[in-house]
Amino acid sequence: MGLIRKYLQSGILVDDIVSQRTEGTPQGSPLSPLLSNIVLDELDEELKRRGHKFVRYADDCNIYVRSQAAGERVMESISNFIERKLKLLVNGDKSQVCEVNQTKFLGYTIRKDGGLNIAKKSIDRFKEKVRGITKRNRGVKFEQIVLELTSVMRGWLNYF
């Protein structure tokens, strides 16, 4: 625990200047999903106890129910559990009750038949990255463009 505390209290280095972190773990930190899994283990146990079907990765969670009304009841109940029992904030902007194929989870859309599609937002974000790299007026050598493009494409393909 001491090592985790030191990591969380360490400063942030930006342009050779160290500034104090005010809250949370750094974006993209490997510690973030680990801490989420430790803290949200109690949520997993509560969802199992209630008999819900769910999937969670770090702080992203989908709970599957049969109807919109059931979804709204579960959303309210679980949000209360998270905020009162676990003392965490639920992001109302990111939380929603919808059919499974109307949302994305870890870059995928789950079809009603249980299959997976790459989410439209994920594809759009990839295309935007490629457009940025291949923009004609960037003023970089062709070899540099190929290197950047190869890296982005390899990462995207390995993920999906």
Side-chain angles (χ1 to χ4, degrees):
M1 278 307 236
L3 185 59
I4 292 172
R5 177 175 302 285
K6 283 182 182 179
Y7 182 82
L8 291 174
Q9 291 176 338
S10 67
I12 302 167
L13 182 64
V14 179
D15 297 327
D16 294 328
I17 299 172
V18 176
S19 58
Q20 194 59 39
R21 183 187 339 268
T22 55
E23 62 182 33
T25 59
Q27 185 71 28
S29 162
L31 188 59
S32 184
L34 173 66
L35 291 176
S36 292
N37 285 333
I38 291 168
V39 171
L40 294 175
D41 183 62
E42 200 170 340
L43 172 63
D44 295 348
E45 294 306 316
E46 180 67 15
L47 291 169
K48 286 179 201 170
R49 188 185 69 70
R50 295 181 186 193
H52 290 303
K53 304 271 189 245
F54 68 98
V55 60
R56 185 179 64 75
Y57 179 82
D59 63 345
D60 289 335
C61 183
N62 283 359
I63 304 168
Y64 304 101
V65 296
R66 295 194 185 276
S67 70
Q68 183 76 18
E72 289 170 12
R73 280 193 308 274
V74 169
M75 170 76 90
E76 183 177 348
S77 172
I78 292 300
S79 293
N80 285 335
F81 175 83
I82 291 169
E83 291 182 352
R84 290 189 180 137
K85 177 87 170 150
L86 302 180
K87 308 287 190 233
L88 299 171
L89 290 175
V90 174
N91 186 334
D93 294 336
K94 289 185 175 180
S95 302
Q96 62 181 343
V97 175
C98 64
E99 292 190 18
V100 69
N101 62 341
Q102 300 297 309
T103 189
K104 75 178 183 70
F105 183 69
L106 302 178
Y108 289 93
T109 297
I110 303 170
R111 296 190 311 253
K112 287 185 178 182
D113 68 4
L116 295 175
N117 287 347
I118 298 173
K120 183 179 179 336
K121 280 184 181 179
S122 299
I123 293 170
D124 291 345
R125 211 171 314 124
F126 173 71
K127 286 179 178 179
E128 201 55 42
K129 249 186 209 178
V130 169
R131 280 188 202 103
I133 291 169
T134 58
K135 203 172 185 181
R136 290 181 189 256
N137 62 354
R138 277 187 67 210
V140 296
K141 291 185 177 182
F142 182 72
E143 292 80 11
Q144 179 66 28
I145 292 171
V146 170
L147 283 173
E148 290 177 30
L149 200 52
T150 300
S151 175
V152 167
M153 290 178 72
R154 183 175 290 124
W156 200 82
L157 289 169
N158 284 337
Y159 183 84
F160 289 103

